[in-house]
């Protein structure tokens, strides 16, 4: 390429040619001209919001997708040379890990004051939405009044032997188990898992096929996140990215589903404050290594805007992090959902390794 350009400009002095090449290099796009987001959230949710932001802000935005663990590993490998400006995570555990690794930059108070709940004491990441752990059940086979008041009591229901579903290799299950370990102690958490195994639960690689199995009567109850039930009954985009991208595409995890309003699937909540109702918070932070801090801050501000938060509620059935967003009538009121979850320091979800070890020890990981 350089040879052809020298030939084309052979009548000009070599010095002028060198200056021309240098100017061209300086004006070419680089990471300083593009806002780069590493997203643990699924493309089905992110792509539409990012496209809207591009149009509104006239900023070039690129997104790299992957699960939280993959992106954390990549950012640690890249270090200060990482091209990423924003880490948009599916779990607060990943954001807590990024905080401990000193990857994230302090956010301005004006931004941190926007969310109405779950804002971390560190001020290094911004809550965007939340989902809640629930016990889904087949309403043809199970009476809600017969279900336990605590997730800890579920193993005592021998009538569900062989008819319980769970997703023990999913990040939301890891978060639940990490919180259970922290809230109830290692011994109680291990005992619960071992007792659950005596029910001979059916393991699923993802939540969507598990809820489909629940509707068909293959299982009677399932430990899952609230919006999978709502997604089956009301349709909408998928917002969670938890596993291998190819597997999720094959299983339809990122496809918009057709509503099945009469599906015999109900949502059961344990008593207020029970770990079985744990809120699972998504969030985003700005990397210390960014050269686009102002642009990254404005993107986070967009994520907690009325527009983006309304989209999360309407299309993904997740709970907004801000007040005054109208929820679909089939969702619990936001404050009631918040009250169901135990009070918890969500940055503790970064303490994942002891959870994984415990699950390995009992043969689940």
């Amino acid at each position: 390429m350089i040879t052809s350009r020298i030939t084309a400009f052979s009548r000009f002095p070599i010095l002028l040619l060198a200056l021309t090449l240098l100017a061209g290099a300086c004006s070419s796009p680089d990471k300083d001209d593009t806002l780069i987001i590493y997203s643990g959230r699924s493309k089905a949710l992110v792509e539409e919001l990012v496209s809207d932001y591009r149009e509104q802000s006239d900023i070039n935005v690129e997104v790299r997708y992957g699960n939280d663990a993959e992106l954390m590993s990549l950012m640690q490998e890249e270090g200060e040379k990482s091209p990423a400006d924003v880490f948009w995570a599916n779990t607060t555990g990943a954001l807590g890990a990024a905080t401990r690794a000193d990857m994230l930059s302090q956010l301005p108070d004006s931004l941190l004051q926007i969310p109405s709940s779950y804002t971390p004491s560190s001020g290094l990441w911004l809550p965007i939405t939340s989902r809640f752990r629930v016990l889904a059940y087949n309403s043809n086979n199970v009476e809600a009044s017969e279900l336990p008041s605590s997730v800890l009591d579920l193993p005592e229901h021998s009538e569900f032997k062989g008819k319980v579903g769970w997703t023990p290799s999913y990040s939301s299950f890891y978060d639940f188990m990490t919180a259970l370990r922290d809230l109830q102690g290692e011994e109680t958490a291990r005992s619960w898992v071992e007792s659950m195994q005596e029910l001979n639960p059916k393991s699923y690689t993802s939540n969507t096929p598990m809820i489909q199995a629940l509707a068909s009567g293959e299982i009677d109850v399932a430990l899952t996140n609230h919006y999978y039930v709502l997604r089956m009954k009301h349709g909408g985009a998928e917002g969670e990215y938890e596993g291998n991208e190819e597997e999720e595409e094959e299983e339809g995890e990122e496809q918009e589903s057709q509503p099945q309003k009469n599906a015999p699937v109900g949502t059961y909540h344990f008593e207020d404050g029970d770990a079985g109702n744990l809120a699972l918070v998504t969030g985003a932070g700005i990397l210390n290594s960014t050269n686009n801090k102002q642009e990254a801050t404005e993107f986070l501000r967009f994520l907690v805007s009325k527009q983006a938060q309304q989209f999360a509620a309407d299309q993904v059935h997740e709970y907004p992090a801000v007040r005054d967003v109208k929820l679909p009538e089939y969702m619990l009121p936001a404050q009631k959902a918040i009250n169901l979850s135990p009070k918890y320091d969500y940055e503790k979800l970064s303490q994942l390794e002891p959870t994984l070890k415990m699950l390995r020890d009992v043969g689940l990981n």
Side-chain angles (χ1 to χ4, degrees), residues 169-204:
S169 62
Y170 250 39
S171 66
S172 56
F173 185 80
Y174 294 161
D175 283 350
F176 160 66
M177 287 305 307
T178 300
L180 189 64
R181 285 181 49 253
D182 187 54
L183 292 168
Q184 300 292 332
E186 180 84 19
E187 184 177 343
T188 298
R190 180 184 292 266
S191 175
W192 181 83
V193 172
E194 293 173 341
S195 297
M196 281 293 296
Q197 288 178 298
E198 294 177 8
L199 288 181
N200 190 28
K202 294 186 177 180
S203 296
Y204 294 85

Side-chain angles (χ1 to χ4, degrees), residues 199-261:
L199 288 181
N200 190 28
K202 294 186 177 180
S203 296
Y204 294 85
T205 56
S206 59
N207 287 275
T208 298
M210 180 172 68
I211 298 302
Q212 291 169 346
L214 186 66
S216 69
E218 179 182 318
I219 53 177
D220 286 341
V221 294
L223 291 163
T224 186
N225 297 341
H226 82 271
Y227 66 82
Y228 284 104
V229 176
L230 298 183
R231 185 178 176 228
M232 167 170 276
K233 291 194 167 187
H234 304 284
E238 173 59 58
E240 188 164 4
Y241 183 100
E242 293 198 83
N244 179 278
E245 184 174 6
E246 289 76 12
E247 290 177 0
E248 292 199 1
E249 288 177 353
E250 289 173 3
E251 292 167 1
E253 196 74 336
E254 293 197 44
Q255 303 300 316
E256 187 165 327
S257 59
Q258 294 300 314
Q260 302 175 47
K261 292 186 178 180

Side-chain angles (χ1 to χ4, degrees), residues 46-87:
V46 172
E47 197 67 18
E48 183 168 342
L49 289 179
V50 171
S51 294
D52 288 345
Y53 186 70
R54 285 193 188 103
E55 293 178 5
Q56 295 172 23
S57 66
D58 199 29
I59 292 176
N60 185 29
V61 181
E62 294 182 0
V63 183
R64 177 163 186 163
Y65 303 101
N67 64 46
D68 285 350
E70 292 169 345
L71 295 174
M72 274 296 300
S73 178
L74 179 61
M75 288 187 295
Q76 287 175 324
E77 181 179 344
E78 292 170 338
E80 288 297 313
K81 296 182 179 180
S82 177
D85 299 301
V86 172
F87 179 33

Side-chain angles (χ1 to χ4, degrees), residues 335-347:
Q335 192 57 52
K336 185 173 182 179
I338 290 171
N339 291 341
L340 282 168
S341 177
K343 305 302 180 186
Y344 192 67
D345 179 359
Y346 284 89
E347 291 190 322

Side-chain angles (χ1 to χ4, degrees), residues 344-363:
Y344 192 67
D345 179 359
Y346 284 89
E347 291 190 322
K348 290 184 177 180
L349 292 180
S350 63
Q351 301 169 4
L352 186 60
E353 188 52 43
T355 297
L356 297 178
K357 181 181 184 303
M358 182 185 72
L359 296 176
R360 286 194 298 268
D361 289 346
V362 300

